[in-house]
Short mmCIF file of all heavy atoms in Angstrom, two decimals:
data_model
loop_
_atom_site.label_atom_id
_atom_site.label_comp_id
_atom_site.label_asym_id
_atom_site.label_seq_id
_atom_site.Cartn_x
_atom_site.Cartn_y
_atom_site.Cartn_z
N PHE A 249 61.06 6.03 -39.62
CA PHE A 249 60.87 4.79 -40.32
C PHE A 249 60.87 4.84 -41.81
O PHE A 249 61.46 4.04 -42.50
CB PHE A 249 59.44 4.23 -39.94
CG PHE A 249 59.46 3.55 -38.57
CD1 PHE A 249 60.33 3.73 -37.65
CD2 PHE A 249 58.38 2.66 -38.28
CE1 PHE A 249 60.33 3.10 -36.33
CE2 PHE A 249 58.28 2.07 -37.03
CZ PHE A 249 59.29 2.27 -36.10
N SER A 250 60.16 5.88 -42.32
CA SER A 250 60.09 6.02 -43.81
C SER A 250 59.36 7.28 -44.12
O SER A 250 58.89 8.05 -43.25
CB SER A 250 59.30 4.82 -44.41
OG SER A 250 57.96 4.75 -43.78
N HIS A 251 59.21 7.62 -45.35
CA HIS A 251 58.43 8.81 -45.82
C HIS A 251 57.53 8.37 -47.03
O HIS A 251 57.85 7.38 -47.69
CB HIS A 251 59.33 9.95 -46.31
CG HIS A 251 60.01 9.65 -47.62
ND1 HIS A 251 61.04 8.83 -47.78
CD2 HIS A 251 59.87 10.19 -48.86
CE1 HIS A 251 61.49 8.76 -49.05
NE2 HIS A 251 60.73 9.63 -49.71
N ASN A 252 56.48 8.93 -47.12
CA ASN A 252 55.43 8.51 -48.16
C ASN A 252 55.18 9.75 -49.20
O ASN A 252 54.44 9.60 -50.14
CB ASN A 252 54.04 8.07 -47.60
CG ASN A 252 53.37 9.22 -46.80
OD1 ASN A 252 53.97 9.77 -45.84
ND2 ASN A 252 52.16 9.55 -47.15
N PHE A 253 55.84 10.85 -48.86
CA PHE A 253 55.69 11.99 -49.77
C PHE A 253 56.90 12.97 -49.55
O PHE A 253 57.31 13.17 -48.40
CB PHE A 253 54.39 12.82 -49.43
CG PHE A 253 54.24 14.09 -50.23
CD1 PHE A 253 53.92 14.06 -51.48
CD2 PHE A 253 54.56 15.28 -49.59
CE1 PHE A 253 53.83 15.26 -52.23
CE2 PHE A 253 54.38 16.54 -50.30
CZ PHE A 253 54.02 16.49 -51.60
N ASP A 254 57.43 13.50 -50.65
CA ASP A 254 58.52 14.46 -50.61
C ASP A 254 58.13 15.59 -51.59
O ASP A 254 57.85 15.36 -52.81
CB ASP A 254 59.84 13.87 -50.99
CG ASP A 254 61.02 14.76 -50.64
OD1 ASP A 254 60.76 15.91 -50.21
OD2 ASP A 254 62.16 14.38 -50.92
N GLY A 255 57.94 16.76 -51.02
CA GLY A 255 57.48 17.91 -51.79
C GLY A 255 58.37 18.30 -53.02
O GLY A 255 59.64 17.87 -53.11
N PRO A 256 57.84 19.13 -53.87
CA PRO A 256 58.64 19.50 -55.12
C PRO A 256 59.63 20.58 -54.90
O PRO A 256 60.29 21.01 -55.84
CB PRO A 256 57.49 19.93 -56.03
CG PRO A 256 56.42 20.45 -55.17
CD PRO A 256 56.48 19.74 -53.95
N TRP A 257 59.74 21.11 -53.70
CA TRP A 257 60.57 22.26 -53.49
C TRP A 257 62.06 21.81 -53.43
O TRP A 257 62.39 20.91 -52.78
CB TRP A 257 60.24 22.97 -52.13
CG TRP A 257 58.86 23.57 -52.33
CD1 TRP A 257 58.47 24.79 -52.70
CD2 TRP A 257 57.71 22.98 -51.93
NE1 TRP A 257 57.16 25.02 -52.66
CE2 TRP A 257 56.55 23.82 -52.19
CE3 TRP A 257 57.33 21.72 -51.40
CZ2 TRP A 257 55.21 23.60 -51.94
CZ3 TRP A 257 55.99 21.39 -51.24
CH2 TRP A 257 54.97 22.30 -51.51
N ASP A 258 62.95 22.64 -54.00
CA ASP A 258 64.43 22.22 -53.98
C ASP A 258 65.18 23.19 -53.07
O ASP A 258 66.37 23.23 -52.99
CB ASP A 258 65.09 22.23 -55.36
CG ASP A 258 64.78 23.53 -56.16
OD1 ASP A 258 64.29 24.52 -55.53
OD2 ASP A 258 65.09 23.59 -57.37
N THR A 259 64.40 24.00 -52.40
CA THR A 259 64.95 24.88 -51.29
C THR A 259 64.02 24.63 -50.09
O THR A 259 63.04 23.95 -50.20
CB THR A 259 65.08 26.28 -51.66
OG1 THR A 259 63.74 26.82 -51.99
CG2 THR A 259 65.95 26.59 -52.80
N TYR A 260 64.29 25.28 -48.97
CA TYR A 260 63.50 25.18 -47.79
C TYR A 260 62.58 26.51 -47.77
O TYR A 260 62.94 27.52 -48.20
CB TYR A 260 64.35 25.11 -46.48
CG TYR A 260 65.14 23.84 -46.49
CD1 TYR A 260 66.49 23.87 -46.54
CD2 TYR A 260 64.40 22.63 -46.46
CE1 TYR A 260 67.25 22.62 -46.55
CE2 TYR A 260 65.24 21.43 -46.48
CZ TYR A 260 66.57 21.41 -46.47
OH TYR A 260 67.30 20.35 -46.49
N PRO A 261 61.31 26.30 -47.19
CA PRO A 261 60.81 25.09 -46.73
C PRO A 261 60.32 24.07 -47.68
O PRO A 261 59.97 24.41 -48.82
CB PRO A 261 59.49 25.51 -45.86
CG PRO A 261 59.29 27.00 -46.31
CD PRO A 261 60.38 27.45 -47.09
N ASP A 262 60.51 22.85 -47.40
CA ASP A 262 60.00 21.69 -48.15
C ASP A 262 58.94 20.98 -47.32
O ASP A 262 58.67 21.43 -46.17
CB ASP A 262 61.24 20.67 -48.48
CG ASP A 262 60.92 19.75 -49.65
OD1 ASP A 262 59.71 19.75 -50.11
OD2 ASP A 262 61.81 19.06 -50.05
N VAL A 263 58.26 19.94 -47.90
CA VAL A 263 57.21 19.25 -47.18
C VAL A 263 57.59 17.73 -47.23
O VAL A 263 57.94 17.28 -48.27
CB VAL A 263 55.80 19.55 -47.71
CG1 VAL A 263 54.74 18.64 -46.99
CG2 VAL A 263 55.47 21.05 -47.60
N LEU A 264 57.43 17.07 -46.12
CA LEU A 264 57.63 15.64 -46.02
C LEU A 264 56.54 15.00 -45.29
O LEU A 264 56.09 15.43 -44.28
CB LEU A 264 59.01 15.36 -45.34
CG LEU A 264 59.69 13.97 -45.50
CD1 LEU A 264 60.23 13.86 -46.96
CD2 LEU A 264 60.86 13.86 -44.61
N GLY A 265 56.00 13.83 -45.93
CA GLY A 265 55.07 13.01 -45.15
C GLY A 265 55.92 11.88 -44.71
O GLY A 265 56.68 11.23 -45.43
N LEU A 266 55.74 11.56 -43.37
CA LEU A 266 56.68 10.55 -42.77
C LEU A 266 56.00 9.63 -41.77
O LEU A 266 54.92 10.03 -41.11
CB LEU A 266 57.87 11.35 -42.23
CG LEU A 266 57.69 12.26 -41.02
CD1 LEU A 266 59.05 12.52 -40.38
CD2 LEU A 266 57.13 13.64 -41.44
N GLN A 267 56.69 8.56 -41.48
CA GLN A 267 56.31 7.54 -40.44
C GLN A 267 57.41 7.51 -39.46
O GLN A 267 58.58 7.46 -39.85
CB GLN A 267 56.12 6.19 -41.09
CG GLN A 267 54.87 6.10 -42.11
CD GLN A 267 55.03 6.85 -43.38
OE1 GLN A 267 56.12 6.70 -44.03
NE2 GLN A 267 54.17 7.72 -43.83
N PHE A 268 57.01 7.47 -38.14
CA PHE A 268 58.09 7.39 -37.16
C PHE A 268 57.48 6.89 -35.78
O PHE A 268 56.28 6.76 -35.65
CB PHE A 268 58.70 8.77 -36.96
CG PHE A 268 57.80 9.82 -36.41
CD1 PHE A 268 57.58 10.05 -35.07
CD2 PHE A 268 57.07 10.62 -37.35
CE1 PHE A 268 56.70 11.03 -34.65
CE2 PHE A 268 56.20 11.61 -36.97
CZ PHE A 268 56.08 11.85 -35.55
N SER A 269 58.36 6.52 -34.97
CA SER A 269 57.93 6.18 -33.57
C SER A 269 58.52 7.11 -32.56
O SER A 269 59.68 7.68 -32.79
CB SER A 269 58.27 4.74 -33.22
OG SER A 269 59.64 4.55 -33.06
N TRP A 270 57.78 7.34 -31.47
CA TRP A 270 58.23 8.28 -30.45
C TRP A 270 58.13 7.47 -29.08
O TRP A 270 57.07 7.21 -28.67
CB TRP A 270 57.30 9.46 -30.42
CG TRP A 270 57.56 10.52 -29.39
CD1 TRP A 270 58.77 10.61 -28.72
CD2 TRP A 270 56.73 11.61 -29.05
NE1 TRP A 270 58.64 11.73 -27.80
CE2 TRP A 270 57.34 12.39 -28.03
CE3 TRP A 270 55.47 11.92 -29.49
CZ2 TRP A 270 56.80 13.48 -27.45
CZ3 TRP A 270 54.87 13.16 -28.78
CH2 TRP A 270 55.59 13.85 -27.88
N ASP A 271 59.32 7.02 -28.62
CA ASP A 271 59.32 6.24 -27.50
C ASP A 271 58.37 5.03 -27.58
O ASP A 271 57.69 4.54 -26.70
CB ASP A 271 58.87 6.88 -26.22
CG ASP A 271 60.00 7.69 -25.58
OD1 ASP A 271 61.13 7.35 -25.86
OD2 ASP A 271 59.72 8.57 -24.73
N GLY A 272 58.33 4.47 -28.85
CA GLY A 272 57.53 3.22 -29.12
C GLY A 272 56.15 3.55 -29.62
O GLY A 272 55.44 2.62 -29.96
N PHE A 273 55.72 4.76 -29.51
CA PHE A 273 54.36 5.09 -30.01
C PHE A 273 54.47 5.55 -31.45
O PHE A 273 55.44 6.25 -31.83
CB PHE A 273 53.79 6.27 -29.15
CG PHE A 273 53.58 5.95 -27.69
CD1 PHE A 273 54.47 6.49 -26.76
CD2 PHE A 273 52.51 5.19 -27.29
CE1 PHE A 273 54.30 6.08 -25.37
CE2 PHE A 273 52.37 4.89 -25.94
CZ PHE A 273 53.25 5.32 -25.02
N TYR A 274 53.58 5.08 -32.28
CA TYR A 274 53.69 5.09 -33.74
C TYR A 274 52.90 6.26 -34.28
O TYR A 274 51.80 6.60 -33.92
CB TYR A 274 53.28 3.80 -34.30
CG TYR A 274 53.60 3.70 -35.83
CD1 TYR A 274 54.89 3.79 -36.29
CD2 TYR A 274 52.62 3.49 -36.76
CE1 TYR A 274 55.13 3.76 -37.72
CE2 TYR A 274 52.79 3.33 -38.14
CZ TYR A 274 54.11 3.49 -38.58
OH TYR A 274 54.35 3.32 -39.95
N LYS A 275 53.53 6.93 -35.35
CA LYS A 275 52.82 7.98 -36.14
C LYS A 275 52.79 7.35 -37.58
O LYS A 275 53.78 7.16 -38.25
CB LYS A 275 53.57 9.24 -36.12
CG LYS A 275 52.81 10.28 -36.98
CD LYS A 275 51.61 10.91 -36.26
CE LYS A 275 50.95 12.09 -37.09
NZ LYS A 275 49.82 12.54 -36.37
#
Side-chain angles (χ1 to χ4, degrees):
F249 281 20
S250 56
H251 71 287
N252 63 303
F253 173 77
D254 191 356
W257 296 270
D258 53 12
T259 59
Y260 296 115
D262 201 350
V263 176
L264 201 66
L266 63 166
Q267 293 71 50
F268 61 92
S269 70
W270 179 16
D271 273 343
F273 299 103
Y274 187 58
K275 181 74 174 182

